Amino acid sequence: MAFVALGQGSAGSATPTKTSRVAFILLAPGLIYLGLFFLTPLVSLIITSLKVSSPTGEIGMYDFGFELGNYAYAIGQYLPQILRSFTYAIIATVMALMISYPIAYFIGVKARNKPLLQAMLLTLVIAPFFISFLLRTFAWKQIFSNDSPVTNFLHTIGLLAPDQYVIGTPFAVVFGLTYNFIPFMTLPIYTSLERLDIRLLEAGSDLYATPAKTFWKVTFPLSLPGVISGTLLTFIPISGDYVNASRDFLGGSDTAMIGNVVEANFFRIQDYPTASALSVMLMAAIVVLVSMYVRKSGTEDLL
Amino acid sequence: MATDFVARGQDLELVGIRKEFPGFTAIENLDLKIPAGEFFALLGPSGCGKTTTLRIVAGLEEATHGKVLIGGKDVSGTKPHERPVNTVFQNYALFPHMSVLENVAFGLRQRKIKEPLAKATEALQMVELEHLGNRKPQQLSGGQQQRVALARALVNRPALLLLDEPLGALDLKLRRQMQVELKAIQMEVGLTFLHVTHDQEEAMDMADTVAVMNHGQIEQMGAPEALYDRPKTAFVARFLGQSNIFVGEVVEENANTISIDCNGQKVSAPKSRSEKHSGKVAIGVRPEKATFHEDKPVLDSNHNLVGPGEIIDIRFTGVSNQYLIDIPGFGDITVFAQNVGKSPVVELGAQVWVSWKVEHAFGLSDLPPKADNDGE
């Protein structure tokens, strides 16, 4: 939510008129909601991240404090997992973009005059949402499990050594992440491309641009708002995802991401300050990365 | 690439073009030759196939049969970006994410022509918009966008410039102004222009040659004056200006004229201006060529005279009035009379006779769907 606000400057000072009072009344439920369910936990999280161990030494008991060392400890202890999270998130986002763009282009542009085909394809994109995310990820665990036909086949053709398996590898995790977030990438890009004026493409070809040039000079820049919202909708949740990389699903001992570390610290080790510090840092890092990205891609310049 | 930076326009030839869409035929066997440097207008109602013809020339549509030759070279099999042709699109199709200057430089950049921005600035100067180069297209008015579209096409010096109703979205005054500018630019750059329009005034005003298209075929082609003076089909007679058209059997024929019987009244036309000399023939006359008389005039055989009838409608159009006269037992006839004196010249309900010179009448090759002498 923070990154949405980044794109917009101060909207001019409105004098307290009747309109602004109505606007305030209409906004009130949203503001109360944000205050209760976004701000309160956030403040609580920051406070927890600065707590110190209880002098009694009891596990899971912490006192209020201002221990910035928690952050240093979290970084020192979990830097590999932090870097891995962003690496996986970037790879999975790029993969999802490369898979989604052609799908979105086909549905939004090529199938434009075939409403039935368009509706069917859109349904297929959304269909995975009808089944729980956990179940679908679990299904992939079954498909890639150590004695599954897929794994056996990979052993037979020699792509995997006899002592190697799919589950627990970075490949399996990135695959799961990509798979789970493809619809979030496809739909915004589709929305952008669906409004693309075909006549602009004709103008491009009329002005001596080859189809490839027309794509890079006209189609892609005009679909950039969709690409940017798609990448944000995938990159941000993937960075914090803990299901795919979890050992219960597609992950293994050395695929843990920040989400897994936070989960382990909260629920197993009961080291609440470190878990909170990691969460706060993840959030801060995402805000910084995303605002740099949005600024660089110049979305405010697009229409 | 077959796109040299040519200085002058080239000729366009369409040979036996046919275009079928699922369910209907848009163009039937079209042959056309446009000499280099000419301003050619393709005029017709919507759905007559004129825009399809233009898109076939541009390469945006592929003809089912036939060949397109530009400068004598067959370009039928080539893609739009390989053709030395540029189009000013009906909705302008300016790239919304690029500045006006970048829009104009687009074609030059694609062909890797040196100094694209300098040349684009020059083109913007020609349409008097160089001060708006940094704006985005959507920040310009309709007329300005139209000029950017024109500059974007002209800057490439195409062998052939295609204009797809580019003035359609402009208001009347701006349209007239742009017509003058467009014609001046065409004379200046000497390019071949193929202009598609449904506005007959625009076509007659700007074009050296006008082709009137209907149902995927060219009905008649020629200089605007010739086309207006002697339409050969009922469609052309009524689409290009207005016409009174009377239908009847030829009852009299001499060395110079033919005469038909229209519900008992005789209407004649010169043989030299008639497509058919026997059987059922349609004879027409332009409303401004006819005059009305409040008393029955005495006229020689060089005039057609019908009446008496009653003025049933008067429409004021500024410089003239349009009078609709109902002649009992004959039909309706429209007369334009200039408001040089008082307006209207005669009052509604007045009884008048209508006459016109035989030499102004024209005989058509076909019959109109509805003649003016339907007896009502």
Side-chain angles (χ1 to χ4, degrees), chain A residues 197 199-200 202-211 213 217-218 221-222 301-303, chain B residues 3 55 80-81 83 85-87 89 91 93-98 107 110-111 152 156:
Chain A
D197 189 346
R199 292 173 294 192
L200 294 177
E202 293 187 339
S205 66
D206 186 66
L207 291 164
Y208 313 105
T210 58
K213 274 271 187 186
K217 295 280 177 189
V218 183
L222 287 174
D301 215 38
L302 290 163
L303 299 176
Chain B
T3 52
R55 289 174 61 83
H81 66 269
R83 298 190 184 191
V85 166
N86 287 111
T87 310
F89 291 90
N91 65 330
L94 298 175
F95 304 122
H97 58 298
M98 292 180 198
Q110 296 312 311
R111 290 198 295 167
R152 186 176 71 170
N156 302 296

Side-chain angles (χ1 to χ4, degrees), chain B residues 194-209:
Chain B
L194 172 56
H195 184 140
V196 158
T197 181
H198 65 264
D199 181 339
Q200 39 118 348
E201 275 186 55
E202 191 175 295
M204 288 197 283
D205 181 42
M206 295 160 76
D208 303 317
T209 307

Side-chain angles (χ1 to χ4, degrees), chain A residues 68-148:
Chain A
L68 285 171
N70 289 338
Y71 284 84
Y73 172 78
I75 292 174
Q77 199 72 7
Y78 299 112
L79 188 64
Q81 284 87 342
I82 294 171
L83 294 179
R84 188 183 294 138
S85 286
F86 288 122
T87 311
Y88 283 6
I90 289 168
I91 297 173
T93 304
V94 171
M95 296 289 293
L97 177 63
M98 289 192 329
I99 295 167
S100 295
Y101 203 100
I103 299 174
Y105 187 86
F106 187 83
I107 303 174
V109 179
K110 295 283 169 193
R112 196 176 280 188
N113 297 324
K114 303 175 187 84
L116 189 68
L117 179 68
Q118 200 176 30
M120 272 169 55
L121 290 171
L122 272 179
T123 312
L124 281 178
V125 170
I126 302 165
F129 287 133
F130 298 159
I131 303 162
S132 157
F133 160 65
L134 292 177
L135 281 177
R136 281 183 284 125
T137 312
F138 202 76
W140 280 112
K141 185 186 168 84
Q142 302 275 334
I143 293 167
F144 285 140
S145 66
N146 291 354
D147 206 23
S148 72

